[in-house]
Amino acid sequence: MLKGHDIVTITETRSVLAAAQALVDHNIGGLVVTDGELLTGILTERDILRITARSPGELDSIQVSTVMTRELITATPQDELS
């Protein structure tokens, strides 16, 4: 399986419902969350599943910023795996 190079992003102020739709539209499991050019977090299918279990029917009013993961570990293509 090959991973693509395209990165799909969403802003913190978008709804969790909009994020879920983006995941489906792009057939992916996570979105990079941005504020302008700044990387601020990641939102995954698991994050959406958890908020859906706690607040079903409210995904259109809950912002991505309230459920995303903010503590990220990042790397560049040139970084060593070790």
Side-chain angles (χ1 to χ4, degrees):
M1 173 189 273
L2 293 175
K3 291 284 187 182
H5 295 330
D6 295 336
I7 298 171
V8 181
T9 64
I10 194 162
T11 60
E12 294 184 15
T13 57
R14 295 293 306 274
S15 72
V16 173
L17 183 60
Q21 188 61 56
L23 292 175
V24 171
D25 290 348
H26 295 281
N27 194 30
I28 55 175
L31 297 166
V32 173
V33 184
T34 59
D35 182 6
E37 294 293 316
L38 181 64
L39 171 71
T40 58
I42 189 166
L43 184 74
T44 66
E45 292 170 318
R46 182 176 287 183
D47 298 322
I48 293 173
L49 180 63
R50 287 181 177 145
I51 196 65
T52 301
R54 288 194 304 261
S55 303
E58 297 179 31
L59 299 184
D60 60 339
S61 62
I62 299 171
Q63 289 188 342
V64 167
S65 63
T66 63
V67 297
M68 69 184 202
T69 300
R70 292 184 182 272
E71 299 79 34
L72 299 176
I73 299 171
T74 61
T76 68
Q78 296 77 28
D79 289 340
E80 298 282 333
L81 288 178
S82 58

